[in-house]
Amino acid sequence: MEKVDLRSCDLASLKAYMEQLGEKSFRAGQLYGWLHQKMAADYDEMGNIPKSLKEKLAKTAVLTTLKVKTMQESKIDGTRKYLFELADGNLIESVWMKYKHGNSVCISSQVGCKMNCSFCASAIGGWVRNLTPAEMLEQIYRISKDTKERVSNVVVMGTGEPLDNYDNLVQFIKMLSDEEGLHISQRSITVSTCGIVPKMKQLAQEKLQITLALSLHASNQEDRSDLMPIAKTYEIHEVIEACRYYFEKTGRRVSFEYSLIRGKNDTKEDALALSKLLKGLNCHVNLIPINPVRERSYVEPDMSHVLEFKNNLEKYMINVTIRRELGRDIDGACGQLRKGYLKKS
Ligand code: SAH
């Protein structure tokens, strides 16, 4: 019989599992507290759980706890990049960032990525597998234990395409925001997608209050499909339509990520085309000067040019900010999470 993935169970399935084991249902609540509030790493920590139950669990369930393999801290801004080892030996990365308004964790949703965006390091080495809800939660739990600080924001912007791991993602969001767990407000959770249209529409119907971020990166179909292979399947206008739908269904303003690449998508004409594309949409644009990736040839524009691009968008009444870059010296910035450590090992 397949073992139960204990830390991926929500409270209802944990209750059903306790019943199956012939245990009282209040044990489910106790266990859930240990797993998701106290973020226990193993059964030894669970003081009020009887030995007999622990033995049954050890036989019929697996308890997912990530191992910190390495941690690098940025000398510039204190950002930390964690390399975690999963039970099957795969390695994933997560980033912890300190902001004035609280601490933020950027988590991975897959081992590797299938999407192959031309400026991103995540797909180098291909896609290996999806992460379970437990493996996504654990990135936050281990970091919060290690830093001894509360995590207030979670962004699913690390390695992987979250909407390509849909069911696990939704379960993860529900558990992360559950009041019996860490209880992180859904409004403080952001999911970033390259634009898988049917899944964006499905997500709009889940009645979640999370922020959807769309990786746009271009103002027209031709340039976008040059940068992002997925744009050949879901064209730019379909993707924008799906964002409009997301706003209508959830009332949540969509956030657009636009990585500026010198000579590629950073002209005055691009700014004009972008503002036309987003016209009438309740949204926010996040400009990210592209982070150079060793294997890729793109270069970021000068800061003065980035500011000019921003001003141009503002002229057309677009809400826009420039993403502050953190952790550059530890390859912790957007798109830099990579499988470089594989080369070393
Ligand atoms: N698959 C999801 C989430 C992971 S990428 C997505 O595509 O949105 C997180 C963000 O970093 C995306 O907007 C992605 O396009 C961006 N990104 C990737 N490589 C980058 C780089 N080298 N410089 C700046 N941003 C990058």
Side-chain angles (χ1 to χ4, degrees):
M1 218 175 68
E2 203 177 324
K3 289 194 168 180
V4 173
D5 175 3
L6 205 61
R7 216 189 289 267
S8 288
C9 291
D10 55 24
L11 193 52
S13 42
L14 214 49
K15 277 186 182 150
Y17 178 42
M18 286 305 111
E19 205 167 300
Q20 238 180 18
L21 291 180
E23 295 283 340
K24 297 243 164 60
S25 98
F26 75 91
R27 294 289 179 209
Q30 287 181 330
L31 265 175
Y32 201 86
W34 282 112
L35 293 167
H36 301 288
Q37 269 176 346
K38 301 189 193 95
M39 302 177 280
D42 53 46
Y43 296 124
D44 295 345
E45 288 180 38
M46 304 180 183
N48 57 1
I49 304 292
K51 206 168 154 230
S52 58
L53 173 53
K54 286 181 188 169
E55 279 163 5
K56 286 189 213 168
L57 291 173
K59 275 198 204 110
T60 58
V62 283
L63 175 58
T64 300
T65 302
L66 303 191
K67 256 195 280 177
V68 179
K69 187 102 175 153
T70 61
M71 190 279 283
Q72 287 168 275
E73 191 168 43
S74 165
K75 292 195 176 66
I76 306 170
D77 51 48
T79 296
R80 291 177 171 198
K81 184 170 75 167
Y82 287 85
L83 176 66
F84 288 111
E85 182 172 348
L86 309 178
D88 63 2
N90 275 305
L91 301 169
I92 55 166
E93 287 172 311
S94 328
V95 182
W96 181 75
M97 294 158 282
K98 262 182 114 88
Y99 291 101
K100 271 191 227 95
H101 59 265
N103 302 318
S104 190
V105 170
C106 173
I107 68 151
S108 294
S109 55
Q110 297 180 315
V111 181
C113 185
K114 294 177 193 161
M115 299 301 147
N116 246 317
C117 296
S118 69
F119 45 82
C120 180
S122 293
I124 298 170
W127 177 84
V128 180
R129 71 168 175 86
N130 285 332
L131 296 184
T132 62
E135 288 166 335
M136 290 189 254
L137 291 166
E138 266 287 295
Q139 297 173 57
I140 299 154
Y141 297 172
R142 283 321 118 209
I143 289 178
S144 149
K145 283 269 174 151
D146 192 55
T147 57
K148 299 187 180 66
E149 287 196 37
R150 187 180 153 76
V151 171
S152 46
N153 290 280
V154 171
V155 296
V156 189
M157 287 194 186
T159 301
E161 167 50 46
L163 298 191
D164 185 37
N165 183 14
Y166 187 87
D167 293 343
N168 288 344
L169 174 81
V170 170
Q171 172 90 343
F172 157 79
I173 294 167
K174 289 182 178 163
M175 291 174 73
L176 184 63
S177 53
D178 188 352
E179 53 187 323
E180 308 286 336
L182 270 200
H183 201 192
I184 294 183
S185 152
Q186 289 186 355
R187 289 168 175 264
S188 306
I189 303 173
T190 299
V191 170
S192 179
T193 179
C194 61
I196 301 180
V197 168
K199 296 293 175 190
M200 291 167 69
K201 290 189 177 156
Q202 196 179 341
L203 190 66
Q205 292 161 4
E206 299 280 354
K207 300 207 161 43
L208 299 172
Q209 281 294 298
I210 58 165
T211 300
L212 182 67
L214 178 86
S215 297
L216 187 57
H217 305 321
S219 61
N220 61 72
Q221 173 60 18
E222 196 190 338
D223 288 349
R224 190 162 190 267
S225 50
D226 251 12
L227 295 170
M228 309 174 70
I230 191 71
K232 296 188 179 94
T233 310
Y234 304 111
E235 294 201 353
I236 196 163
H237 289 288
E238 278 180 81
V239 175
I240 299 296
E241 223 16 74
C243 291
R244 204 180 297 277
Y245 179 78
Y246 190 87
F247 175 70
E248 278 165 14
K249 280 278 167 195
T250 62
R252 299 287 294 156
R253 185 173 83 158
V254 175
S255 185
F256 290 94
E257 287 151 284
Y258 194 99
S259 296
L260 284 163
I261 309 172
R262 189 186 294 189
K264 181 88 190 153
N265 63 4
D266 65 342
T267 64
K268 225 178 175 165
E269 291 72 38
D270 286 311
L272 177 61
L274 183 58
S275 61
K276 279 191 179 151
L277 185 69
L278 302 181
K279 199 170 170 200
L281 197 68
N282 200 329
C283 68
H284 172 258
V285 175
N286 226 321
L287 297 175
I288 316 162
I290 194 103
N291 289 302
V293 169
R294 283 192 278 283
E295 290 80 352
R296 314 295 200 203
S297 56
Y298 299 124
V299 183
E300 74 271 31
D302 296 331
M303 205 19 113
S304 62
H305 196 80
V306 173
L307 285 171
E308 199 182 310
F309 195 90
K310 176 174 183 267
N311 290 338
N312 277 326
L313 286 179
E314 280 170 342
K315 262 189 229 153
Y316 304 112
M317 310 303 285
I318 304 278
N319 266 308
V320 52
T321 48
I322 298 172
R323 168 92 49 91
R324 206 177 119 222
E325 190 186 45
L326 296 172
R328 192 165 190 149
D329 57 329
I330 52 168
D331 273 0
C334 289
Q336 294 186 326
L337 299 185
R338 56 197 297 106
K339 307 226 295 177
Y341 43 81
L342 288 182
K343 282 185 220 136
K344 282 174 236 147
S345 55

